[in-house]
Amino acid sequence: FGSVSTIMLGMFVESLFLGYYQAAFSLVASLTALFSVSGIFIPVFTQLHGTRLKNALLKSLRYVFIISIPAAIGLIFVSQYAILIFYGKEYFPASTALFILSFLLLVTPAIEIYSSLFKAKERIKTIPFIVFITLILNIILNYFLITYLLESGQNFVILGVAAATVISRSLYLLFLVISTKPFFKIKIPKDSIIKSIFATSIMATVLYVYNLYIKINLVTGFLEILLGMVVYVSMMLLIRGIKKEDIDLFKSFFKKD
């Protein structure tokens, strides 16, 4: 969807504004690559069936949402800072597009897990059909928002394209979730999502107050990220969104063989 949006955007705006969008999208794409899990889960899902498959998928989704929800909201708070650090003040207008594209951090990892499930269970034919439908919707959304917002200014156009990208990816995820029901009968881990959203809302409130009174620079920006992590993890522990088994799993990554 990113390539389609870039091509369509290039047909209507100057190269300067196209560069703003590409900068924001590239930054989000780089961050989502850190959450890439498809290569891990395909072999796991291939070997599991029935209840074990359901439990593995639920646990995978739970960990992804626990990480991706605060990551997406956290990026919103540091979007301006991130653009300045990675691209310089010349690309500062890209921060508004990054604000919207931040939600891809939430959607993309979940898409990878569901896609891995279809690939592992040899139902890969479902994916191209869903891609085709959402691609058409993405083109329609892009065209409508670009032509509608063009009179308001090219800055608004890149915001519209960013919104179209997020909406299209979200619809893609929704179609994948719906398509799993007839074959796998798997539900979204609602309890974990609700707890993560609650903890993230507390984190967002703290970061909002922090931004009101603290001028952001390299040091204070780094401290803001640490503050957000501490608040989020503390709240998740308090409301039992993170359990002992999660801590043990985390510790296992640092144990020496």
Side-chain angles (χ1 to χ4, degrees):
F1 302 122
S3 299
V4 172
S5 298
T6 301
I7 292 171
M8 293 188 68
L9 188 61
M11 297 169 61
F12 292 92
V13 302
E14 299 173 5
S15 58
L16 177 64
F17 292 91
L18 178 61
Y20 293 153
Y21 178 81
Q22 289 178 320
F25 186 83
S26 297
L27 184 55
V28 171
S30 299
L31 291 173
T32 52
L34 298 176
F35 297 100
S36 180
V37 292
S38 58
I40 299 174
F41 290 114
I42 289 178
V44 173
F45 291 154
T46 301
Q47 300 173 22
L48 298 178
H49 304 278
T51 303
R52 292 184 65 195
L53 174 63
K54 180 179 179 179
N55 291 337
L57 181 62
L58 287 174
K59 183 168 287 189
S60 303
L61 287 171
R62 177 172 172 269
Y63 285 131
V64 161
F65 284 126
I66 284 176
I67 297 173
S68 62
I69 291 175
I73 302 303
L75 182 58
I76 289 174
F77 279 93
V78 299
S79 58
Q80 295 180 344
Y81 169 72
I83 289 295
L84 290 175
I85 291 296
F86 289 103
Y87 294 102
K89 62 181 180 180
E90 295 82 6
Y91 279 83
F92 187 75
S95 59
T96 52
L98 181 59
F99 185 94
I100 297 175
L101 291 171
S102 297
F103 289 99
L104 292 179
L105 289 179
L106 172 60
V107 177
T108 304
I111 288 175
E112 287 199 0
I113 289 180
Y114 276 99
S115 297
S116 298
L117 179 63
F118 280 101
K119 293 174 183 177
K121 294 306 174 183
E122 298 181 352
R123 296 190 179 275
I124 196 170
K125 292 182 180 179
T126 305
I127 297 178
F129 176 74
I130 296 175
V131 169
F132 177 76
I133 296 298
T134 49
L135 184 61
I136 296 300
L137 292 174
N138 178 247
I139 293 172
I140 294 172
L141 272 173
N142 273 321
Y143 182 78
F144 172 76
L145 290 172
I146 289 172
T147 53
Y148 180 77
L149 295 171
L150 197 56
E151 293 184 1
S152 301
Q154 296 184 55
N155 273 323
F156 289 97
V157 173
I158 62 174
L159 293 180
V161 171
T165 301
V166 172
I167 292 171
S168 299
R169 291 282 182 94
S170 299
L171 288 174
Y172 182 34
L173 175 60
L174 177 62
F175 293 152
L176 284 174
V177 172
I178 293 173
S179 298
T180 61
K181 290 186 177 181
F183 307 112
F184 307 111
K185 302 184 188 305
I186 295 170
K187 297 180 180 180
I188 296 289
K190 295 179 181 179
D191 182 65
S192 297
I193 293 176
I194 292 172
K195 288 181 178 180
S196 182
I197 290 175
F198 176 77
T200 299
S201 65
I202 301 299
M203 179 195 77
T205 302
V206 172
L207 295 183
Y208 176 76
V209 174
Y210 183 91
N211 285 342
L212 282 179
Y213 295 98
I214 304 296
K215 183 178 180 180
I216 300 299
N217 53 43
L218 184 61
V219 176
T220 57
F222 178 73
L223 291 175
E224 181 176 14
I225 294 173
L226 289 179
L227 175 63
M229 292 173 62
V230 170
V231 171
Y232 176 75
V233 172
S234 299
M235 286 305 305
M236 287 294 283
L237 289 171
L238 185 63
I239 62 178
R240 296 186 59 79
I242 296 177
K243 303 175 183 177
K244 184 179 182 300
E245 63 182 85
D246 304 321
I247 299 174
D248 292 338
L249 179 63
F250 180 77
K251 289 180 178 179
S252 68
F253 287 115
F254 296 94
K255 288 183 179 180
K256 296 182 179 180
D257 296 331

